[in-house]
């Protein structure tokens, strides 16, 4: 395959009770239908609240099943719970094996690898890192084997959370510890991928569009497909807008295109919170 076209969507946060998010997903679906990439990857928070609503997960999967191309998925904290971190409050809810298994049962594999256009693609479940769950060690063992099989190919890594903000050894703070892959798992991943030609790290989670290069690795943060978080609730790091990211992989080269699908609307988190409050009255 001389060229492999991949579309990344992230943080769709789908649930039946959020018409604005559903409308934005339909606009993205129309864009994907028009372009017909080889693969769609959703890098997590597929559902609005998987740990408390199995229906959210089933509903999200049904909408993705209607896409005209194959999909792969990674879980986000809204799908299976969040990482414990060394500092900051305990996550609510914490990641659990029950919710991980629910994700795999309904959505599909929560970690994967494949080859295309001379590249090695790896997707990781980063939410289990630092959890102490048995699957955390299993995935690291699996990853070690996958890294050994790259055979010099450039590697594209897909995660839910960005690896770091600006530098690998960025200090964790109570306010931002849940935003990035936590230590010490972050350092372990960086050490492992230091053995290969890691060209791309594609993530989501922050609901901000960002694209930068550290050393020879390009870091692409996909925006949320569904909604934005206003500056009163979240510090501004990059561009706050809904959208998606398109990639063209060729042997030893990569093109990245940042896209906003026609008709997408910047649903603000306040709209969703108001809908959630209305449910309880």
């Amino acid at each position: 395959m001389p060229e492999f076209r991949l579309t990344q969507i992230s943080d769709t946060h789908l649930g039946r009770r959020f018409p604005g998010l559903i409308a934005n997903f339909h606009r993205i679906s129309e864009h994907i239908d028009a372009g017909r990439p080889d693969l769609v990857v959703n890098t997590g928070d597929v559902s609005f609240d998987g740990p408390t609503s199995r229906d959210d997960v089933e509903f999200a999967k049904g909408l993705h099943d209607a896409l005209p191309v194959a999909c792969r998925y990674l879980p986000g904290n809204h799908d299976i719970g969040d990482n414990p971190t060394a500092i900051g409050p305990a996550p609510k809810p914490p990641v659990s094996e029950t919710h991980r298994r629910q994700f795999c049962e309904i959505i599909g594999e929560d970690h994967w690898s494949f080859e295309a256009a001379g590249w090695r693609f790896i997707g990781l479940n980063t939410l289990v890192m630092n959890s102490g769950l048995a699957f955390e060690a299993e995935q690291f063992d699996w990853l070690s084997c996958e890294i050994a099989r790259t055979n010099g190919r450039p590697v594209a890594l897909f995660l839910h959370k960005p690896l770091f903000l600006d530098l690998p050894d960025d200090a964790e703070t109570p306010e931002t510890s849940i935003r990035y892959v936590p230590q010490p798992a972050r350092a372990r991943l960086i050490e492992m991928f230091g053995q290969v030609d890691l060209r791309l790290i594609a993530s989501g989670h922050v609901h901000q569009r960002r694209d930068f290069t550290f050393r020879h690795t390009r870091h692409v943060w996909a925006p949320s497909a569904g909604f934005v978080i206003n500056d009163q609730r979240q510090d501004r790091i990059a561009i706050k807008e809904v959208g998606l990211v398109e990639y063209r992989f060729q042997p030893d080269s990569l093109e990245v295109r940042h896209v906003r699908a026609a008709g997408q609307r910047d649903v603000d988190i306040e709209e969703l919170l108001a809908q959630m409050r209305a449910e309880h009255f």
Side-chain angles (χ1 to χ4, degrees), residues 257-276:
R257 180 170 176 253
H258 295 274
V259 180
R260 180 184 175 95
Q264 274 193 287
R265 179 172 67 89
D266 287 332
V267 175
D268 191 278
I269 191 173
E270 303 300 338
E271 178 179 323
L272 308 179
L273 295 174
Q275 291 172 349
M276 292 171 69

Side-chain angles (χ1 to χ4, degrees), residues 233-247:
R233 291 188 176 272
Q234 180 200 53
D235 54 314
R236 181 179 291 267
I237 300 168
I239 300 170
K240 293 188 174 184
E241 66 178 12
V242 296
L244 61 149
V245 186
E246 296 178 336
Y247 303 87

Side-chain angles (χ1 to χ4, degrees), residues 179-251:
R179 187 175 290 166
Y180 309 104
V181 175
Q183 298 284 20
R186 180 199 308 173
R188 185 175 180 184
L189 282 178
I190 291 170
E191 180 180 6
M192 294 176 74
F193 279 97
Q195 307 170 42
V196 299
D197 182 11
L198 180 61
R199 301 277 186 93
L200 171 69
I201 301 177
S203 60
H205 183 59
V206 186
H207 288 238
Q208 299 191 40
R209 187 192 296 282
R210 191 174 186 221
D211 190 334
F212 70 99
T213 299
F214 178 77
R215 294 180 178 156
H216 75 288
T217 303
R218 191 165 180 177
H219 295 249
V220 175
W221 298 9
S224 169
F227 70 92
V228 298
I229 304 173
N230 59 64
D231 291 351
Q232 288 69 45
R233 291 188 176 272
Q234 180 200 53
D235 54 314
R236 181 179 291 267
I237 300 168
I239 300 170
K240 293 188 174 184
E241 66 178 12
V242 296
L244 61 149
V245 186
E246 296 178 336
Y247 303 87
R248 288 179 181 266
F249 296 89
Q250 294 180 335

Side-chain angles (χ1 to χ4, degrees), residues 13 23 30 36 69 86-87 96 106 145 154 176 210 221-222 241 243:
H13 289 276
E30 291 163 359
R36 298 294 175 106
V69 298
I87 60 175
S96 75
I106 299 171
C145 294
T176 65
R210 191 174 186 221
W221 298 9
E241 66 178 12

Side-chain angles (χ1 to χ4, degrees), residues 3-58:
E3 180 178 84
F4 183 72
R5 295 188 304 123
L6 184 152
T7 294
Q8 180 193 4
I9 60 176
S10 198
D11 299 86
T12 44
H13 289 276
L14 291 164
R16 297 181 197 277
R17 60 204 181 279
F18 298 109
L21 305 186
I22 296 169
N24 272 343
F25 188 83
H26 285 319
R27 302 295 81 75
I28 279 181
S29 299
E30 291 163 359
H31 180 87
I32 291 170
D33 188 25
R36 298 294 175 106
D38 298 300
L39 180 70
V40 170
V41 172
N42 189 323
T43 45
D45 287 353
V46 182
S47 62
F48 191 83
D49 194 356
T52 66
S53 175
R54 181 184 177 94
D55 183 71
D56 281 2
V57 185
E58 293 174 339

Side-chain angles (χ1 to χ4, degrees), residues 112-159:
W112 37 260
S113 70
F114 63 92
E115 294 177 6
W119 285 68
R120 187 77 177 173
F121 295 83
I122 298 176
L124 290 178
N125 178 346
T126 52
L127 279 304
V128 298
M129 294 178 181
N130 288 6
S131 68
L133 296 175
F135 178 72
E136 179 184 4
E138 292 171 13
Q139 183 176 230
F140 270 121
D141 289 343
W142 171 86
L143 177 60
S144 180
C145 294
E146 293 302 314
I147 286 175
R149 296 172 54 199
T150 57
N151 296 322
R153 297 180 185 86
V155 175
L157 174 63
F158 289 80
L159 313 170

